[in-house]
Amino acid sequence: MKKTVRQSKRADAQAEKQQTMTTETEEHITVIPRSEHTISRSDISDNALKVLYRLNKSGYEAYLVGGGVRDLLLGQKPKDFDITTNATPEQIRKLFRNCRLVGRRFRLAHIMFGPEIIEVATFRGNHDQNNPSEDKNLSSQAQNGMLLRDNIFGSIEEDAIRRDFTVNSLYYNIDDFSVRDYVNGLNDLKAGIIRLIGDPETRYREDPVRMIRAVRFACKLNMTIEPNTANPIYQLAPLLREIPSARLFEESLKLLQAGYGYTTYKLLKKYGLFEQLFPVIASRFSENGDSPMEKIIEQVLKNTDFRLKNDKRVNPAFLFAVMLWYPVTEHAEKLAQEGGLAYYDAFALAMNDILDEQCRSIAIPKRITTTMRDIWLLQLRLPRRQGRRANKLMEHPKFRAAFDLLELRANVEHRNELQELSTWWADFQEASNTKQREMISELGNAPTRRRHRPARPPQSGARKPNKPQ
């Protein structure tokens, strides 16, 4: 009986709260009641709802926030669900046994539900520039304006203006199922505008990755970057060099492997951001943008977008191998000519050099670079098909990726021998065993000549070729 009375009182209070709520509740806050928006709990992850309800029942404020709310309002399926609350990370950990605290720059709570992680952040507060905190773990800022620590907690109103873009600063309240907007994000969402909250230059200096995010959201949501938000990007793009390369690797995957890589690539080039992420590639851009390297990059990004739209798997190793293929071969030619090395040895050195240079900007993990090397080295082996070589090559675990790169090269270079090789391998894969033997027999017994460079006397200080990995 007592439980029923409590539930009845709570329902009455909830109904009264919703009846008295208006769309414009305060001067700077817009509250959309449940009856006037399209977000349904059935579209929210069950695990996210568990977290929201437990925080709420424990006396804390709890909101779904960011991209999850934005995508739900746009009628899209969110990739993940982030939560914000007035509970501190330590208070959150006490409520959830499956919680771990992560991050130093931003202290976050990760609630683990098997493969799904619900990220919970405490409301961010404003940094007092006149009286900075003595505790560097709470607040720390570099001389260039970049935030090194951002663990000052505050209210939901302060949290709203600490977020990056207006369309990401919308809050779904689990207490009354309303949507709260503190920065006019709903209007920008309807108008299709990506607008930074606060002074753009200051916000970009706090976290230069916001420039990349502006481009990513504009392409993902098919929106326009607001002029004041866009104007400082080209000038401030070099700030990305100060971002850890491991973080930029994760951001690069979001940019190029999310289904809109081609349009993102174009916009990154427009704002001078691509050259910060891929300086090895950008330094080789042609004036007319029609080099084989530029053509193959555009084609592989279009192909990647197509595969993702058709729910097919994509491999970042293949994408990066294609994008960096021409820098590797160009550098290999240079090393072979200048050092008098056999081309195979020069190629092995070139792979090392290009990967080392690229990883200074984007820290591509070894598991990916190992696959990239396999794909590249197979390009040298694919012309050698005599005897049992062709069948052995087809058994290689990276053969299909290597063939796809060969096909892309043939399409952009238009060399007869490359097109014939690509066609031969395409037919060979579809042929019966008898037909395959005939195709190999027609090639003759003499293997394709390997490319050699005339030997030159070793120069002082010359590097020894590394053994290819």
Side-chain angles (χ1 to χ4, degrees), residues 55-126:
L55 285 167
N56 185 253
K57 289 179 181 178
S58 300
Y60 299 108
E61 297 177 59
Y63 299 86
L64 193 68
V65 69
V69 179
R70 179 200 68 214
D71 291 347
L72 288 171
L73 290 171
L74 290 172
Q76 301 177 5
K77 184 178 180 180
K79 185 177 180 181
D80 47 37
F81 295 91
D82 294 338
I83 291 171
T84 188
T85 176
N86 61 343
T88 65
E90 288 71 23
Q91 290 170 331
I92 298 168
R93 183 164 55 181
K94 288 181 181 179
L95 287 177
F96 299 92
R97 289 186 299 174
N98 54 333
C99 171
R100 67 175 184 179
L101 302 185
V102 300
R104 288 181 297 176
R105 185 167 180 264
F106 301 110
R107 196 69 168 153
L108 300 168
H110 280 180
I111 316 297
M112 321 293 289
F113 295 93
E116 184 178 15
I117 299 175
I118 304 299
E119 188 173 278
V120 185
T122 306
F123 295 149
R124 303 290 172 194
N126 294 322

Side-chain angles (χ1 to χ4, degrees), residues 102-108 124-129 132-153 162 205-208 210 244 247:
V102 300
R104 288 181 297 176
R105 185 167 180 264
F106 301 110
R107 196 69 168 153
L108 300 168
R124 303 290 172 194
N126 294 322
H127 292 253
D128 189 344
Q129 303 295 336
S133 172
E134 294 183 0
D135 188 345
K136 298 302 180 183
N137 290 320
L138 293 180
S139 175
S140 178
Q141 194 166 12
Q143 291 183 350
N144 60 8
M146 186 185 302
L147 283 176
L148 305 177
R149 295 288 187 275
D150 187 14
N151 293 305
I152 300 294
F153 303 138
R162 288 291 306 147
R205 289 188 179 279
E206 286 178 352
D207 185 2
R210 287 174 178 146
R247 185 183 178 195

Side-chain angles (χ1 to χ4, degrees), residues 126-355:
N126 294 322
H127 292 253
D128 189 344
Q129 303 295 336
N130 297 322
N131 298 294
S133 172
E134 294 183 0
D135 188 345
K136 298 302 180 183
N137 290 320
L138 293 180
S139 175
S140 178
Q141 194 166 12
Q143 291 183 350
N144 60 8
M146 186 185 302
L147 283 176
L148 305 177
R149 295 288 187 275
D150 187 14
N151 293 305
I152 300 294
F153 303 138
S155 64
I156 186 173
E157 291 82 4
E158 291 174 313
D159 187 77
I161 61 173
R162 288 291 306 147
R163 294 190 173 270
D164 49 12
F165 303 101
T166 58
V167 296
N168 290 341
S169 189
L170 299 169
Y171 297 75
Y172 174 77
N173 189 357
I174 197 62
D175 187 46
D176 59 12
F177 317 122
S178 65
V179 172
R180 300 170 71 88
D181 177 12
Y182 297 84
V183 291
N184 207 29
L186 284 167
N187 286 338
D188 284 344
L189 195 64
K190 293 175 184 177
I193 294 174
I194 301 297
R195 187 193 310 273
L196 205 58
I197 300 170
D199 175 63
E201 182 170 344
T202 301
R203 301 309 305 278
Y204 287 143
R205 289 188 179 279
E206 286 178 352
D207 185 2
V209 170
R210 287 174 178 146
M211 294 183 283
I212 296 176
R213 287 167 61 84
V215 169
R216 177 159 66 89
F217 291 136
C219 296
K220 175 184 178 180
L221 304 173
N222 194 24
M223 293 184 175
T224 303
I225 303 178
E226 183 263 338
N228 289 332
T229 299
N231 289 340
I233 294 179
Y234 192 88
Q235 178 185 354
L236 299 178
L239 291 175
L240 285 173
R241 299 171 191 168
E242 301 173 19
I243 300 298
S245 56
R247 185 183 178 195
L248 289 183
F249 169 73
E250 297 298 333
E251 291 294 334
S252 70
L253 294 186
K254 296 176 185 177
L255 290 166
L256 303 178
Q257 288 202 274
Y260 40 87
Y262 176 69
T263 54
T264 302
Y265 165 69
K266 291 292 188 183
L267 210 54
L268 288 172
K269 287 179 64 178
K270 174 182 176 181
Y271 289 115
L273 295 168
F274 186 84
E275 64 188 80
Q276 309 303 326
L277 301 175
F278 296 95
V280 175
I281 296 173
S283 64
R284 292 169 169 83
F285 280 152
S286 64
E287 186 175 344
N288 297 325
D290 58 355
S291 67
M293 181 191 71
E294 289 161 291
K295 290 180 180 178
I296 207 171
I297 290 174
E298 292 185 2
Q299 190 58 57
V300 73
L301 290 172
K302 289 178 182 178
N303 292 352
T304 300
D305 293 344
F306 178 80
R307 289 183 63 84
L308 289 167
K309 285 179 173 62
N310 288 275
D311 297 322
K312 294 184 178 181
R313 294 178 62 185
V314 295
N315 188 341
F318 176 73
L319 176 61
F320 290 136
V322 174
M323 294 176 68
L324 293 168
W325 166 251
Y326 286 104
V328 168
T329 56
E330 180 184 316
H331 190 49
E333 291 283 355
K334 181 180 178 181
L335 290 175
Q337 291 174 4
E338 294 179 354
L341 300 171
Y343 185 76
Y344 186 86
D345 294 333
F347 191 84
L349 279 174
M351 289 193 300
N352 294 337
D353 290 347
I354 294 299
L355 284 174

